[in-house]
Amino acid sequence: MYSTSPGANMDIEALSGICGSISIACWVVVFSPQIIENFRRHSADGLSLIFIVIWLAGDIFNILGAVFQGVIPTMTILAIYYTLADIVLLGQCFYYRGFVLSDAQPTSDEEAIVDETTEDSPLLARDSTATRPIARPSAADADRNRRSSSFSSFHSHLNQVDAAHLSPATPLIASSKPTVDPPAASANTSVATLRTFLLNTIALILVCAAGVLGWFLSTRSSQGQQSHDTSPISATESEALHFDLWGQIFGYLCAALYLGSRVPQLLLNYRRKSTEGVSMLFFLFACVGNLTYVMSIFAYEPACAKLERDYGAIKCEKGEWNSEYQRYVLVNTSWLVGSAGTLLLDLMIFAQFWIYRKNAK
């Protein structure tokens, strides 16, 4: 007979529940920062369109995999919610960019000019008016143009003069243009970075606290219902740990799409040498959501251990605990690969936030 201490089992169940609840809370709000960022900037240029399209396809396969594999209804509802949020982000991209199916390439003033110089082109570029005959100005026209130019120069200079310099006692000295102090600019950038970090941290703490509160309330509710039922459960959870072929296929397709979706965003940030227009909180919630989801899967308590803890009459046979745990992890491997893999790629995006932070406007 193999058994574990009730306290350890209770801790595992609580850890799994807390991590799962925090993950759900993060995924509920994950899209909000980016949607708000796009609306605030009236632009979605910082977001890769291909990234959203692939993520949308991954969420669709996530729905199919959840339905065929028979996961809990909450996960299926969340997968549908993710799909709707993806459609909102995709709609923003089409609204601000127009109906284009590719990411906007970064262009500069120099790149916008197409160089059509050939070996037969003249060394000095010709204007379209070069072939027109140039009329020689008369002396009266030249004098008129000179007076007009002098008056315009005096008028523009007078507009820049402070009213205090109009007094005869005050010398008329052109004021130098204010220059930006490099240390002051660096200090302003540091203050903005610190403010962003504090706001993101506070938002993350509030969402995690909401997840813990949700777990606490659901646990109190389930304990109240169990107090009216003292009979052992008739079927163990091991019966639900079955492999569904289509569920696994869709799960692995979902994991592959989730992994591939981050690549276009990484490439777009690299080409632009900037992460402007991309919400850091968007990827921060995604990272925490994936991390806690992985932890909730690994913190699994087999059914025989639950029966032993709740009723004390049934104990895990030798090797039963390990066998059921391994089977549970194997059933959820596709979701583990998708979440853990995207977590690593999201860390690469955070590295881009740090590398390109000086290029932010």
Side-chain angles (χ1 to χ4, degrees):
M1 307 290 269
Y2 178 84
S3 63
T4 57
S5 63
N9 286 335
M10 190 60 184
D11 292 341
I12 292 176
E13 184 183 21
L15 178 61
S16 178
I18 292 174
C19 290
S21 185
I22 292 176
S23 177
I24 291 174
C26 288
W27 284 113
V28 165
V29 300
V30 65
F31 297 97
S32 302
Q34 188 61 54
I35 293 174
I36 295 173
E37 179 73 11
N38 294 342
F39 179 78
R40 184 183 63 83
R41 299 177 70 250
H42 299 286
S43 172
D45 291 339
L47 207 59
S48 172
L49 182 65
I50 303 175
F51 161 57
I52 299 300
V53 171
I54 298 178
W55 200 350
L56 174 60
D59 284 335
I60 292 175
F61 283 114
N62 188 19
I63 295 174
L64 296 175
V67 171
F68 280 96
Q69 188 57 56
V71 299
I72 59 177
T74 305
M75 300 309 298
T76 305
I77 295 173
L78 283 175
I80 297 174
Y81 167 76
Y82 304 154
T83 304
L84 296 177
D86 290 337
I87 294 174
V88 172
L89 277 178
L90 194 62
Q92 279 190 322
C93 291
F94 288 146
Y95 178 78
Y96 292 124
R97 297 183 185 179
F99 193 78
V100 293
L101 298 178
S102 61
D103 294 327
Q105 298 293 331
T107 58
S108 61
D109 294 339
E110 293 79 8
E111 295 172 349
I113 301 175
V114 179
D115 187 9
E116 298 180 352
T117 304
T118 63
E119 60 182 5
D120 298 328
S121 302
L123 295 178
L124 296 178
R126 282 188 178 183
D127 192 7
S128 59
T129 61
T131 58
R132 299 179 183 177
I134 301 176
R136 183 183 298 274
S138 62
D141 293 337
D143 183 64
R144 187 184 304 110
N145 293 336
R146 185 168 55 254
R147 289 198 306 268
S148 177
S149 176
S150 299
F151 178 77
S152 300
S153 177
F154 175 75
H155 186 269
S156 63
H157 179 72
L158 187 62
N159 289 335
Q160 298 176 359
V161 175
D162 189 8
H165 293 291
L166 297 179
S167 172
T170 305
L172 184 59
I173 302 176
S175 59
S176 59
K177 294 182 179 180
T179 58
V180 179
D181 188 12
S186 177
N188 292 336
T189 303
S190 301
V191 170
T193 303
L194 180 60
R195 182 171 62 249
T196 302
F197 173 77
L198 291 176
L199 291 177
N200 290 343
T201 302
I202 292 173
L204 182 61
I205 292 175
L206 291 176
V207 172
C208 292
V212 175
L213 180 62
W215 167 82
F216 177 76
L217 294 178
S218 63
T219 302
R220 290 285 300 271
S221 177
S222 61
Q223 288 178 351
Q225 294 177 359
Q226 291 178 358
S227 63
H228 301 285
D229 185 12
T230 57
S231 60
I233 56 177
S234 58
T236 65
E237 292 182 1
S238 60
E239 297 176 0
L241 297 178
H242 66 281
F243 278 93
D244 183 88
L245 178 61
W246 286 107
Q248 292 296 315
I249 290 175
F250 289 136
Y252 280 103
L253 285 174
C254 169
L257 290 170
Y258 280 163
L259 291 173
S261 66
R262 298 308 197 268
V263 176
Q265 186 63 51
L266 287 167
L267 292 177
L268 180 62
N269 296 341
Y270 175 76
R271 290 197 301 265
R272 297 168 64 235
K273 297 295 186 292
S274 172
T275 55
E276 185 181 3
V278 182
S279 173
M280 181 184 292
L281 200 57
F282 174 44
F283 287 96
L284 185 60
F285 282 143
C287 280
V288 177
N290 281 324
L291 178 62
T292 52
Y293 179 71
V294 171
M295 293 174 61
S296 68
I297 291 179
F298 281 120
Y300 171 72
E301 182 183 23
C304 63
K306 290 184 180 180
L307 291 173
E308 178 185 355
R309 171 172 51 83
D310 294 337
Y311 303 102
I314 304 175
K315 293 185 178 181
C316 294
E317 298 291 339
K318 185 177 181 180
E320 183 180 1
W321 198 100
N322 292 332
S323 176
E324 187 174 343
Y325 181 84
Q326 292 173 1
R327 184 176 179 82
Y328 176 80
V329 172
L330 193 61
V331 168
N332 292 276
T333 298
S334 60
W335 284 271
L336 283 172
V337 171
S339 296
T342 53
L343 177 61
L344 296 177
L345 293 175
D346 286 341
L347 293 178
M348 296 177 64
I349 293 180
F350 278 114
Q352 289 184 325
F353 273 104
W354 175 259
I355 294 172
Y356 302 137
R357 70 189 186 280
K358 294 182 180 180
N359 297 340
K361 294 182 180 179

